[in-house]
Amino acid sequence: MAFQVVDGDGILDGEGLDQLLQSSGLASAGLDYSLVAIMGPQSSGKSTLLNHVFGTSFREMDATAGRSQTTQGIWLSCSPKLKELKTLVLDLEGTDGRERGEDDTTFERQSALFALAVADVLLINLWHHDVGREQGSGKPLLKTVLQENLKLFNSGKKKTLVFVIRDRSSKTPLEALAKTLREDLDKIWNAIAKPEDQENKSLEDCFNLIFTSLPNYEEREEEFEAEATLLRSKFKRSSEENYLPDEKPVPGSALSMSIESIWKIIKENKNLDLPAHRVMVATVRCDQSIWDLSQEFSQSDEAKALQEEATSSLMQDYGSSCKALIDKYLSRFDELVEFFEAAVCEGKRLELTEKLLQLMSIATAAQNEFCRTSAISLYGQEIDSIGK
């Protein structure tokens, strides 16, 4: 079922996003998921492509009603055809649509930056007859994607761009189309203004570029279906030539929070520092885990029993019992934050340790006092026995 995660006015539905991630099982998937997005000119068949490749149910254009905007805002769905790895699919509003007007490119740029920030792979859907055309609908889109990527401050990761050239002609081989498209990309990249720290970066420093093509769906349906199935295999980890990156920055349990935070930053037109964002997500998760575990620890029967015994009399095994109990909760913490930024989690683990030790401080102080009293008593007995 397709769900509108961001409406045409740029409002993100956080509650609906949470529900989709929970119902699809992605929230508990750890790092075993992928996120694919698609951009392209309006009415270029983006939704049709996604539905045939991923088995989604995005609304498709009714050609008999004329060419008009089908996808408004940003839509999200979970692929029912990729069972091996949970795959989220983002369908972005088409670019250059007359509904927003010629000069209103704000949402187009925001959605492009959003897709670059959250997606593992960005599909760019282009008509084959637009490749190489100076005034074709693909040129502004390519410029938008390359420019917006520069706003991903210090992301440290290459973004994979898969150019899907639609309705290819049997007269023009893919190699020739890819060569022309690559030349256009180089020209755009060299012409756009870049920050000082990225002035000398080449296109390959920032992107993995992949080119593929598909025949016309209406005229060559069987061939289209076969190639769509082949394209689907590129999003399986088991495929040797898959398009997926090796690492995921955010586990599924924090994806909703991450997406909401990224969209908020984009809407506020602030710098999108992805490493800092990942630290923020990890910090929030760790702080919540520390709070939950501390509350559970303080109310647990096991902790209360140990505290009661420790404040009543000297225990022979208080140290080992206390350590075992704290280690139990630290292990729980490790499980809860397993896929988050390691450096953040290590520091927060020490914070939790201090918190749990503080909760046991009265019991520990009582045991220290019992030890002191016992030692003084024993010392006195030893002194009294001298000379007897």
Side-chain angles (χ1 to χ4, degrees):
M1 189 70 179
F3 153 73
Q4 190 180 38
V5 64
V6 177
D7 67 19
D9 295 322
I11 307 301
L12 186 142
D13 184 353
E15 184 178 343
L17 176 61
D18 281 335
Q19 291 175 356
L20 185 143
L21 297 182
Q22 291 291 343
S23 62
S24 66
L26 195 139
S28 57
L31 298 179
D32 292 329
Y33 75 93
S34 65
L35 204 160
V36 181
I38 191 168
M39 291 191 72
Q42 181 174 293
S43 306
S44 62
K46 300 185 306 300
S47 301
T48 301
L49 173 63
L50 295 179
N51 291 344
H52 283 83
V53 173
F54 298 102
T56 48
S57 55
F58 294 114
R59 183 179 168 219
E60 299 179 19
M61 184 190 71
D62 180 4
T64 61
R67 293 192 176 275
S68 61
Q69 190 176 55
T70 304
T71 303
Q72 283 190 317
I74 302 172
W75 289 73
L76 181 65
S77 183
C78 193
S79 170
K81 288 192 175 182
L82 287 168
K83 307 291 188 183
E84 173 189 305
L85 186 72
K86 290 190 181 299
T87 302
L88 281 178
V89 184
L90 281 172
D91 189 7
L92 276 64
E93 180 179 308
T95 59
D96 74 358
R98 61 184 174 83
E99 286 80 1
R100 288 196 182 271
E102 183 179 348
D103 299 323
D104 186 4
T105 60
T106 301
F107 188 83
E108 177 183 324
R109 291 185 172 279
Q110 289 175 340
S111 58
L113 180 55
F114 178 70
L116 287 164
V118 304
D120 299 307
V121 178
L122 177 58
L123 301 173
I124 299 180
N125 197 56
L126 298 170
W127 295 112
H128 88 280
H129 53 68
D130 273 344
V131 176
R133 288 177 57 203
E134 194 62 36
Q135 302 304 319
S137 59
K139 268 286 180 66
L141 170 61
L142 298 179
K143 185 175 181 180
T144 295
V145 170
L146 299 189
Q147 282 182 325
E148 294 305 306
N149 189 72
L150 293 172
K151 295 181 181 179
L152 296 180
F153 175 75
N154 195 29
S155 66
K157 303 288 183 184
K158 284 187 179 183
K159 181 59 62 178
T160 296
L161 304 181
V162 179
F163 295 89
V164 184
I165 303 170
R166 301 290 295 278
D167 295 1
R168 67 167 181 258
S169 167
S170 57
K171 297 179 181 179
T172 309
L174 174 60
E175 292 76 13
L177 290 170
K179 181 175 181 295
T180 301
L181 190 51
R182 177 55 205 266
E183 290 172 353
D184 286 345
L185 288 166
D186 282 329
K187 288 179 183 177
I188 295 170
W189 180 254
N190 292 333
I192 60 178
K194 305 178 188 65
E196 286 186 13
D197 61 337
Q198 300 193 53
E199 281 183 352
N200 298 320
K201 284 188 175 181
S202 67
L203 205 54
E204 288 82 359
D205 291 329
C206 300
F207 299 100
N208 294 315
L209 304 176
I210 299 171
F211 303 92
T212 189
S213 65
L214 289 171
N216 182 279
Y217 171 63
E218 295 177 357
E219 296 175 2
R220 297 153 66 183
E221 185 175 346
E222 288 188 9
E223 188 178 350
F224 181 95
E225 292 285 6
E227 294 190 29
T229 301
L230 179 61
L231 183 57
R232 185 187 314 135
S233 70
K234 304 296 185 181
F235 297 91
K236 297 179 179 179
R237 291 265 181 224
S238 56
S239 172
E240 291 185 4
E241 298 181 353
N242 73 75
Y243 297 156
L244 302 173
D246 294 329
E247 299 178 5
K248 288 290 309 172
V250 177
S253 59
L255 184 59
S256 179
M257 176 178 63
S258 175
I259 286 175
E260 289 188 62
S261 173
I262 286 174
W263 183 248
K264 183 175 184 290
I265 292 170
I266 290 172
K267 287 285 290 178
E268 293 174 351
N269 200 29
K270 295 179 180 178
N271 289 332
L272 187 52
D273 186 339
L274 288 184
H277 172 76
R278 290 193 287 270
V279 168
M280 180 276 293
V281 170
T283 301
V284 171
R285 177 57 181 239
C286 288
D287 286 344
Q288 185 63 53
S289 298
I290 289 173
W291 168 259
D292 292 341
L293 291 171
S294 298
Q295 291 295 103
E296 184 181 327
F297 182 95
S298 64
Q299 297 169 14
S300 71
D301 292 338
E302 195 174 357
K304 288 179 180 178
L306 181 58
Q307 288 167 338
E308 184 176 348
E309 185 178 356
T311 53
S312 300
S313 61
L314 181 63
M315 295 175 59
Q316 298 300 315
D317 60 348
Y318 173 77
S320 58
S321 297
C322 186
K323 182 178 184 302
L325 181 58
I326 289 177
D327 284 347
K328 174 183 173 181
Y329 280 81
L330 290 176
S331 295
R332 291 268 306 284
F333 177 81
D334 293 339
E335 292 172 4
L336 290 170
V337 302
E338 180 180 2
F339 302 112
F340 292 81
E341 290 288 301
V344 175
C345 296
E346 288 172 9
K348 292 295 181 178
R349 193 179 196 272
L350 293 175
E351 190 175 318
L352 175 60
T353 303
E354 292 296 324
K355 187 87 171 176
L356 299 182
L357 287 172
Q358 181 62 34
L359 290 172
M360 294 301 296
S361 61
I362 294 177
T364 302
Q367 285 296 294
N368 289 338
E369 181 60 24
F370 285 131
C371 286
R372 187 184 72 82
T373 302
S374 178
I376 291 173
S377 175
L378 180 61
Y379 178 74
Q381 293 173 14
E382 289 294 328
I383 290 296
D384 290 343
S385 67
I386 296 175
K388 289 184 180 180

